[in-house]
């Protein structure tokens, strides 16, 4: 659909004949009305009584006319149709009289033998608000702002509150219900269409599955579902939807699918590449470059930077104005960035392009701001004045006089001034033009926030595609084409920094016997990388050295120590720990480093170093940091900060869990949070940096604290947020502990590794790790790790259908937790024990154990693990046939999992909800929740995905969508066979009738 559907024409409240209201009239509270659901009225926040169904029908008929008068006969037809009661007119008058008493004076008026509602605010009616939002969404979509359009449409759809005009009798109300429901579906289709345009394919499948079940003959929904499934990699299901649709239309209506649906099927069959992703917006036409006469030559292989070129060109073009003296005074753009990022190259390139706008000349100077002796402004002005035609004898002596003459000469002229490599704003100010028509481009390593009126541009490194293009242009297409991956490794090792790429490519171009792989191997060694990145008089290290040499001692120390941390970025609080300084002092130092472009501000309160700058900072730390032990002390403070903060969050999320009492002590304090949302924000934001800190500590005396940090941050794995990084980190810690002969640390590391393997469904590997974890914990007398390892072995036994063994392990874990006084651990394990009894057929006992565990946790406070209790109880109640109670428990679990951002548990609970619905013979609801489980993901990896697909197939089969059901079962069978899962036999049985046919 090209636009946003509009409701059949409606006019706003009030009519052209409405009399004007006094300007100063005040209303205590505005009236509001709702028709997109039950007919309701409010005065401010107070609900008003709208009377009997017929009285509400009268009010609805007047509201939907939006200010137009309805005659008495029209109202009678609206309420009763062709068979009105004998006293219909009297009844209408009575209803109108009663409504007048409820509404504000002058709202319900009598006019020409009929009635009208007048004088309402612009959005007093929810339908009017929906129309306005629909129009706003259409405008946003037309402008290409799909995010805003989707948000606005969702707000419009949220105004519906159940059935339109619910409970209102009469033929008019029935006609309006049909009209407005059709409009709602059109809006919903448009919104889902925009979802797909923005790549939200998997998320849309769940909603579309439910909608097609509710509206099976609506072909547009089927088309969107096919497209969403195809773009989610589920081609077989997409084709099955078409087959189901064709059969349904033939059976119900005797027709074929519409041409658009048939065409989509053919495109899916042909794997049309244009169907895989939404069309990209057309690229803007670039302005043809120009060749200046007085600027340095632009590089012939200038690459990328299209958005910066457009931005800077637009600013420069504003200096020339509209030709009537309406130009912008002193258009100035100041580019900032680290050394080697390509500031000069970009500025010269843009200046060449802008030459036509500055026919009176272009001036250029290298201000040498990064060097020991920056150019003096009066010297530069002297050269500029001579370039503008001033004889030597007429050049004044003082800076002020030279600047005044310079501005006078530029008055009325269009001149572009390129001030390259500036030191600071004080050096630049005397060199700026002072009148409209002229402009200046400034490059510097510092951000010139104190240069009044300047358009500031922070230049970042190249994108990977731009970097590869630059490398290819220098080296040659033939050499790169055969070793594309090695070329990507090279530009990646260069951190996508243009200077580094140019140096690396130039070295390779000058050595015909080298392959790209040889260069990639040389750059892979981080300790030698900076030494490799030099060619002739170009060197990355020398470029950084210029910036480092200008730092104050405190700045230099901060720069060196920040470079030691391995994370992708660092928060202000973590940096304060590294530097061992108060937060305010740390922020002042870091912001000053941002101004020098040696440090980047990744987001408010977060900072990062470019990869090559980090290597240089570490080299400086090894060379300049005294005493050398300060490097290890800085990283130790960072580890303490992360461990203390993560332990506090663990305790907040799990009241009563004594794990934190068994962690290594810390010397540096962490953050404390007043509420859980902020704590989880911190944990998931810091996830990558936290895990990097653990990995950096594996071969040091910080190993024990590192594994405890990994354990305290287990939510990073269980939620699915950082599962892969968490697993790699757990393996590294486990191997380091084994090599060090530290049984306690190895046991804890293997416990964390078991957890992430269980989350991903790799049961056999998890079994090996859990066994070793339990053995190491027993040898080290580590009760905490031993109890959790026993719990994990119980879970593994459940997956392997060894239910009696599972019960034994759970009983052992509960005894261990009890001895340690860990009541939360007891309760959590009891939920798993409930599942063991459930698997053995002890349904009543399973229900009782789960309830007891919930009671125990509730005494400890609201905890994330309550959700596991509701989940376990819901499973037991489902098997007991108490489906309504089971769904209530699952809903409780969902609320908690969502609040605590446990996405994989959220998806798994949707699967259990689907099981309850299928048991209650509600296949449409079961399919909807199964789709949500697929979109979100589940605990248990591919094996659990197979379970969800099997259940989804059952639901679709019950809905008559046999082809799509079989597609789901085939995909489930493939997953089961890849994982050697016993559930494969069940799916083969389901597929057998179709295969036989």
């Amino acid at each position: 659909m090209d636009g946003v559907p509009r409701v059949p024409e409606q006019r706003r409240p009030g009519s052209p004949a409405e009399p004007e209201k006094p300007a100063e009239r005040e209303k205590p509270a505005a009236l509001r009305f709702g028709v997109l659901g039950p007919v309701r009225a409010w005065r401010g926040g107070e609900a008003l009584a709208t009377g009997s169904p017929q009285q509400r029908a009268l009010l609805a008929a007047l509201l939907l006319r939006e200010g137009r008068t309805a005659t008495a006969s029209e109202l009678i037809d609206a309420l009763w149709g062709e068979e009105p009661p004998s006293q219909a007119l009297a009844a209408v008058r009575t209803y109108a009289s009663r409504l007048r008493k409820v509404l504000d004076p002058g709202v319900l008026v009598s006019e020409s033998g009929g009635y009208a509602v007048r004088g309402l605010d612009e959005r007093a009616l929810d339908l009017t608000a929906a129309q306005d939002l629909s129009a706003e969404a259409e405008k946003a979509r037309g402008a290409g702002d799909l995010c805003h359009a989707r948000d606005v449409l969702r707000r419009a759809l949220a105004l519906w509150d159940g059935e339109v005009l619910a409970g209102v009798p009469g033929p008019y109300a029935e006609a309006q219900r049909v009209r407005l429901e059709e409009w709602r579906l059109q809006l919903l289709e448009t919104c889902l269409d925009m979802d797909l345009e923005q790549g939200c394919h998997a998320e849309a499948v769940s909603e579309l599955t439910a909608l097609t079940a509710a509206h099976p003959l609506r072909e547009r929904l089927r088309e969107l579902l096919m497209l969403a499934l195809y773009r989610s990699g589920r081609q077989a299901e997409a084709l099955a939807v078409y087959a189901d649709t064709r059969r349904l239309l033939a059976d119900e209506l005797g027709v074929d699918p519409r041409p658009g649906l048939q065409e989509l099927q053919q495109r899916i069959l042909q794997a049309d590449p244009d169907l895989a992703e939404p069309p990209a917006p057309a690229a803007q036409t670039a302005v043809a470059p120009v060749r200046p006469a007085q600027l340095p030559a632009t590089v012939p292989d200038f690459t990328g930077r299209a958005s910066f070129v457009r931005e800077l060109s637009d600013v420069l073009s504003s200096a020339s104005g509209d030709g009537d003296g309406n130009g912008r005074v002193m258009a100035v753009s100041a580019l900032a960035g680290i050394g080697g990022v390509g500031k000069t190259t970009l500025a010269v390139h843009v200046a060449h392009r802008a030459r036509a706008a500055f026919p009176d000349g272009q001036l250029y100077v290298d201000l040498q701001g990064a060097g020991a002796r920056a150019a003096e402004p009066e010297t530069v002005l002297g050269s500029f004045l001579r370039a503008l035609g001033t004889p030597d004898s007429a050049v004044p002596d003082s800076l002020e006089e030279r600047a005044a003459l310079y501005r006078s000469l530029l008055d009325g002229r269009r001149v572009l001034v390129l001030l390259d490599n500036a030191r600071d704003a004080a050096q630049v100010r005397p060199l700026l033009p002072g009148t409209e028509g002229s402009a200046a481009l400034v490059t510097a390593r510092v951000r010139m926030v104190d240069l009044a009126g300047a358009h500031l541009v922070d230049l970042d490194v190249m994108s990977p595609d731009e970097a590869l293009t630059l490398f290819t242009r220098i080296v040659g297409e033939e050499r790169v084409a055969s070793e594309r991956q090695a070329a990507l490794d090279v530009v990646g090792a260069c951190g996508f920094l243009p200077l580094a790429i140019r140096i690396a490519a130039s070295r390779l171009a000058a050595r015909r016997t080298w392959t790209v792989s040889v260069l990639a191997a040389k750059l892979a060694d981080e300790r030698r990388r900076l030494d490799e990145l030099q060619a002739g008089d170009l060197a990355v290290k020398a470029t950084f050295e210029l910036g480092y040499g200008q730092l104050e001692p405190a700045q230099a120390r901060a720069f060196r120590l920040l470079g030691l941390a391995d994370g992708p970025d660092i928060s202000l609080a973590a940096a304060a720990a590294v530097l061992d300084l108060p937060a305010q002092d740390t922020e002042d130092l870091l912001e000053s480093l941002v101004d020098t472009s040696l440090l980047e501000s990744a987001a408010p309160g977060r900072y990062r170093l470019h990869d090559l700058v980090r290597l240089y900072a570490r080299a400086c730390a090894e060379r300049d940091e005294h005493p050398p032990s300060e490097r290890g002390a800085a990283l130790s403070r960072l580890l303490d900060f992360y461990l203390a903060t993560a332990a506090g969050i663990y305790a907040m999320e799990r009241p009563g869990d004594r794990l934190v009492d068994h962690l290594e002590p810390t010397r540096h304090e962490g953050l404390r949070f007043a509420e859980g949302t902020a704590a989880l924000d911190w944990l998931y934001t810091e996830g990558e940096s936290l895990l990097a800190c653990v990995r950096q500590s594996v071969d040091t005396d910080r190993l024990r604290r590192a594994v405890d940090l990994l354990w305290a941050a287990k939510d990073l794995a269980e939620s699915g947020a950082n599962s892969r990084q968490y697993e790699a980190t757990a393996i590294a810690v486990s191997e380091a502990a084994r090599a060090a002969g530290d049984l306690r640390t190895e046991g804890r590391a293997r416990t964390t590794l078991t957890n992430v393997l269980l989350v991903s469904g790799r049961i056999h590997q998890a079994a090996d790790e859990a066994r070793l974890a339990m053995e190491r914990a027993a040898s080290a007398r580590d009760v905490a790790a031993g109890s959790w390892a026993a719990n994990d072995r119980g879970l593994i036994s459940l997956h392997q259908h060894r239910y009696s063994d599972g019960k034994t392990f759970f009983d052992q874990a509960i005894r261990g937790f009890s001895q340690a006084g860990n009541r939360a651990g007891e309760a959590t394990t009891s939920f798993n024990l409930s599942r063991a009894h459930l698997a053995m057929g002890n349904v009543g006992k399973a229900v009782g154990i789960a309830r007891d565990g919930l009671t125990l946790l509730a005494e400890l406070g609201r905890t994330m693990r309550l959700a596991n209790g509701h989940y376990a109880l819901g499973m037991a109640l489902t098997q007991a046939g108490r489906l309504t109670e089971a769904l209530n428990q699952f809903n409780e679990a969902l609320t908690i999992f969502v609040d605590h951002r446990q996405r994989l548990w959220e998806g798994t609970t949707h699967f259990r909800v689907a099981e309850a619905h299928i048991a209650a013979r509600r296949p449409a609801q079961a399919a909807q929740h199964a789709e949500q489980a697929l979109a979100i993901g589940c605990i248990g990896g591919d094996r659990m995905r197979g379970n969800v697909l099997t259940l989804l197939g059952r639901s679709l089969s019950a809905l008559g969508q046999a082809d799509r059901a079989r597609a789901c079962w085939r995909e489930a069978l493939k997953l089961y066979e890849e994982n050697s899962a016993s559930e494969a036999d069940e799916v083969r049985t389901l597929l057998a009738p179709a295969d036989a046919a």
Side-chain angles (χ1 to χ4, degrees):
M1 301 176 74
D2 295 330
V4 176
R6 298 180 182 179
V7 72
E9 186 176 347
Q10 298 280 335
R11 291 166 55 191
R12 293 287 184 262
S15 76
E18 180 181 347
E20 293 185 5
K21 302 175 181 62
E24 300 301 323
R25 181 176 180 183
E26 295 183 359
K27 295 181 179 180
L31 285 173
R32 293 184 296 110
F33 297 90
V35 294
L36 299 178
V39 177
R40 290 174 288 191
W42 299 268
R43 181 180 289 107
E46 175 192 3
L48 304 179
T50 52
S52 66
Q54 284 80 12
Q55 186 171 310
R56 294 198 301 275
L58 176 69
L59 177 59
L62 296 175
L63 288 169
L64 289 171
R65 287 175 180 266
E66 299 188 355
R68 291 171 291 153
T69 300
T71 66
S73 62
E74 287 174 332
L75 291 172
I76 289 171
D77 287 343
L79 269 66
W80 292 287
E82 297 179 356
E83 298 182 358
S86 58
Q87 300 298 315
L89 180 58
V92 167
R93 290 171 177 166
T94 299
Y95 298 150
S97 175
R98 291 173 180 170
L99 286 170
R100 277 200 190 97
K101 295 176 182 177
V102 175
L103 306 178
D104 292 342
V107 171
L108 200 162
V109 299
S110 301
E111 186 177 81
S112 304
Y115 300 94
V117 169
R118 300 274 172 77
L120 300 181
D121 290 343
E122 183 69 16
R123 288 197 178 185
L125 182 64
D126 56 0
L127 175 59
T128 304
Q131 289 175 269
D132 289 343
L133 291 169
S134 172
E136 182 182 345
E138 182 174 14
K139 182 177 179 181
R141 191 179 191 186
D145 190 352
L146 289 182
C147 286
H148 182 61
R150 286 173 63 211
D151 291 344
V152 171
L153 264 192
R154 289 293 181 186
R155 284 163 51 200
L157 288 164
L159 293 173
W160 268 263
D161 186 14
E163 184 185 37
V164 173
L165 305 176
V168 172
Y172 179 79
E174 183 56 36
Q176 294 301 312
R177 268 192 287 271
V178 173
R179 176 177 72 92
L180 294 175
E181 174 60 15
E182 172 61 24
W183 185 47
R184 184 186 73 85
L185 288 172
Q186 290 176 2
L187 291 178
L188 193 51
E189 288 169 347
T190 301
C191 195
L192 289 163
D193 192 22
M194 286 190 284
D195 286 346
L196 298 188
E197 285 188 55
Q198 291 208 304
C200 303
H201 321 309
E203 296 85 343
V205 168
S206 174
E207 189 171 1
L208 283 165
T209 297
L211 286 168
T212 53
H215 306 280
L217 298 177
R218 200 167 182 94
E219 291 181 72
R220 178 58 179 159
L221 290 174
R222 298 268 183 163
E223 184 178 344
L224 290 170
L225 178 57
M226 288 174 65
L227 188 57
L229 287 167
Y230 180 72
R231 288 181 178 170
S232 300
R234 299 159 69 178
Q235 180 182 8
E237 284 188 68
L239 294 170
V241 169
Y242 179 82
D244 289 331
T245 304
R246 183 177 59 183
R247 183 176 57 255
L248 179 67
L249 291 173
D251 293 345
E252 296 290 331
L253 304 177
V255 298
D256 291 327
R258 61 189 180 91
L261 205 59
Q262 296 179 34
E263 179 186 355
L264 178 60
Q265 183 223 17
Q266 290 301 312
R267 293 179 70 187
I268 291 174
L269 285 170
Q270 296 162 8
D272 185 343
D274 292 337
L275 200 62
E277 292 294 338
Q284 296 184 15
T285 304
V287 181
V290 295
R291 296 184 178 274
Q294 300 180 352
L295 291 167
T298 187
V299 294
D301 49 25
F302 183 86
T303 302
R305 306 299 202 190
S307 63
F308 289 110
V309 171
R310 284 195 299 270
E311 180 181 351
L312 292 167
S313 297
D314 288 345
V315 175
L316 292 182
S317 66
S318 71
S320 59
D322 57 11
D324 295 321
N326 295 322
R328 172 177 172 179
V329 175
M330 196 178 68
V332 179
S333 284
L335 288 76
I338 61 173
V341 80
K343 300 181 293 296
T344 299
T345 302
L346 174 61
V348 169
H349 182 77
V350 170
H352 275 272
R353 290 169 58 97
R355 179 174 179 264
F358 302 96
D360 296 318
Q362 303 86 38
L363 298 172
Y364 170 84
V365 65
D366 180 359
L367 294 173
Q368 302 176 33
R373 299 185 63 180
E376 296 294 336
E378 54 263 40
T379 303
V380 176
L381 283 170
S383 66
F384 279 179
L385 289 172
R386 285 186 286 272
L388 291 168
T390 306
D392 286 346
S393 59
V395 175
D397 291 331
S398 71
L399 172 63
E400 292 76 13
E401 289 176 318
R402 289 186 178 189
L405 178 58
Y406 170 66
R407 290 191 294 270
S408 298
L409 290 173
L410 293 183
D411 186 28
R413 304 174 70 175
R414 294 182 179 178
V415 175
L416 175 62
V417 182
L418 177 47
L419 305 173
D420 192 21
N421 195 15
R423 178 185 57 204
D424 52 30
Q427 185 189 29
V428 166
R429 288 191 192 99
L431 309 179
L432 297 177
T435 55
E436 66 183 43
S438 291
L441 265 176
V442 184
T443 73
R445 299 193 180 199
V446 299
R447 299 183 73 249
M448 295 200 173
V449 293
D450 52 345
L451 190 60
H455 174 77
L456 302 181
V457 176
D458 291 322
L459 193 58
D460 203 349
V461 296
M462 287 180 151
S463 69
D465 287 342
E466 289 175 337
L468 184 61
T469 301
L470 175 60
F471 183 79
T472 303
R473 287 181 176 177
I474 299 172
V475 173
E477 179 70 36
E478 184 178 349
R479 296 180 75 180
V480 174
S482 60
E483 295 185 276
R484 179 179 173 81
Q485 185 55 55
L488 288 170
D489 292 341
V490 168
V491 297
C494 291
F496 311 112
L497 188 72
L499 175 62
I501 295 167
R502 186 171 296 281
I503 291 172
S506 298
R507 291 189 69 197
L508 184 60
R511 292 163 174 80
R512 303 304 300 177
T513 60
W514 281 18
T515 63
V516 182
S517 298
V518 168
L519 178 61
K522 288 179 175 293
L523 294 177
D525 184 354
E526 287 190 352
R527 298 188 65 84
R528 294 256 331 139
R529 187 176 299 168
L530 290 176
D531 294 328
E532 294 289 345
L533 290 174
Q534 54 185 350
D537 62 349
L538 295 178
V540 172
K541 185 187 293 185
T543 299
F544 296 157
E545 192 74 49
L546 290 172
Y548 178 67
Q550 293 185 340
L551 297 180
E552 298 293 333
Q555 292 176 311
R557 174 182 179 268
F559 174 70
R560 294 191 299 267
L561 294 184
L562 289 176
L564 297 173
D566 268 352
D569 60 5
I570 192 166
S571 67
L572 175 60
V578 170
L579 302 181
D580 199 18
L581 292 173
Q584 186 60 59
D585 294 346
T586 301
E587 184 174 23
D588 291 343
L589 274 175
L590 268 53
E591 288 298 326
S592 70
L593 288 173
V594 169
D595 288 338
T596 69
S597 297
L598 285 171
L599 186 66
E600 302 172 33
S601 179
R606 301 198 71 81
Y607 303 87
R608 68 179 172 219
L609 290 165
H610 181 271
D611 290 346
L612 295 179
V613 176
R614 185 197 306 275
L615 293 179
Y616 175 72
R618 288 184 179 177
C620 291
E622 292 179 5
R623 181 188 68 195
D624 301 336
E625 195 62 43
H626 300 291
S629 60
E630 175 58 11
R631 300 199 299 271
L635 292 175
S636 180
R637 291 192 295 268
L638 179 62
L639 178 60
D640 272 359
F641 166 76
Y642 281 139
L643 177 54
T645 307
I649 294 172
Y650 185 98
M652 175 182 286
E653 288 284 283
R654 300 165 175 82
D657 193 324
R658 300 289 299 279
L659 172 65
V660 292
D661 297 337
H662 300 277
L663 303 179
E664 286 288 297
T666 59
R667 295 181 180 179
H668 196 285
E669 292 185 357
L671 298 177
R672 292 290 180 264
F673 300 97
E675 45 88 26
T677 300
L680 291 176
D681 284 344
W682 182 90
L683 181 63
Y684 292 115
T685 300
E686 293 287 349
E688 289 188 56
S689 298
L690 182 152
L691 293 174
C693 181
V694 173
R695 289 192 297 273
Q696 197 170 7
S697 303
V698 295
D699 294 322
T700 70
D701 59 1
R702 304 187 297 274
L703 179 59
R704 284 201 164 196
R705 279 179 290 157
V707 74
D708 284 355
L709 172 56
L710 191 63
W711 202 359
K714 64 185 294 185
D715 285 345
L716 295 176
E718 198 164 325
S719 67
N722 298 82
S723 296
R724 290 185 179 179
Q725 292 172 297
Y726 190 97
E727 179 180 353
T729 306
I731 291 172
V733 174
S734 179
E735 291 176 350
R738 181 181 56 80
D742 188 337
L743 295 176
R744 173 187 176 279
T745 301
E746 184 184 352
R748 294 187 174 199
R750 293 190 184 279
T751 298
T752 63
L753 184 54
T754 301
N755 185 51
V756 75
L757 290 170
L758 280 170
V759 168
S760 62
R762 286 170 287 171
I763 304 304
H764 295 302
Q765 292 173 259
D768 292 339
E769 291 297 331
R771 177 181 54 79
L772 289 172
M774 199 166 174
E775 290 174 0
R776 301 299 186 268
S779 298
R781 300 182 183 276
D782 188 350
V783 177
S787 300
W788 284 114
N791 176 72
D792 290 340
R793 295 192 72 180
L795 288 171
I796 292 163
S797 298
L798 293 188
H799 283 288
Q800 295 174 334
H801 309 297
R802 297 184 293 109
Y803 306 124
S804 179
D805 290 346
K807 176 183 176 301
T808 299
F809 283 124
F810 292 138
D811 287 337
Q812 182 178 348
I814 289 172
R815 287 194 300 273
F817 286 129
S818 178
Q819 292 170 8
N822 191 339
R823 300 177 69 203
E826 289 183 62
T828 300
T829 307
S830 71
F831 301 143
N832 297 328
L833 179 61
S834 167
R835 293 172 59 187
H837 280 286
L838 188 65
M840 291 188 291
N842 305 326
V843 179
K845 193 162 188 177
V847 170
I849 290 173
R851 287 196 189 280
D852 289 344
L854 275 171
T855 301
L856 176 57
L857 275 189
E859 293 174 1
L860 299 175
R862 182 174 174 81
T863 166
M864 183 184 75
R865 289 307 175 199
L866 274 172
N868 296 97
H870 291 299
Y871 174 91
L873 181 54
M875 288 182 63
L877 291 170
T878 299
Q879 196 157 324
R882 295 155 62 179
L883 301 178
T884 300
E885 295 177 70
L887 287 171
N888 289 337
Q889 292 299 319
F890 289 137
N891 286 335
E892 290 286 344
L894 273 174
T895 299
I896 299 173
F897 283 139
V898 169
D899 287 347
H900 292 267
R901 306 181 203 181
Q902 291 291 319
R903 290 280 291 169
L904 296 182
W905 273 113
E906 179 188 347
T908 308
T909 307
H910 276 295
F911 167 66
R912 299 303 181 187
V913 171
E915 283 187 323
H917 279 302
I918 203 71
R921 298 184 180 179
R922 292 190 288 264
Q925 292 93 323
Q928 182 178 4
H929 283 280
E931 285 288 5
Q932 286 181 271
L934 287 176
I936 295 171
C938 296
I939 297 285
D942 285 347
R943 188 169 179 172
M944 178 57 86
R945 183 176 177 84
N947 294 345
V948 179
L949 285 165
T950 303
L951 180 62
L952 177 58
R954 290 183 182 276
S955 305
L956 294 171
S957 180
L959 290 169
Q961 300 182 32
D963 289 334
R964 190 178 165 199
R966 285 192 291 273
C968 291
W969 290 333
R970 290 190 185 100
E971 185 179 349
L973 180 60
K974 180 182 177 183
L975 293 172
Y976 287 146
E977 289 176 343
E978 289 174 351
N979 289 273
S980 303
S982 59
E983 291 86 349
D985 292 336
E986 175 194 354
V987 179
R988 291 191 189 98
T989 302
L990 291 170
L991 286 168
D995 294 339

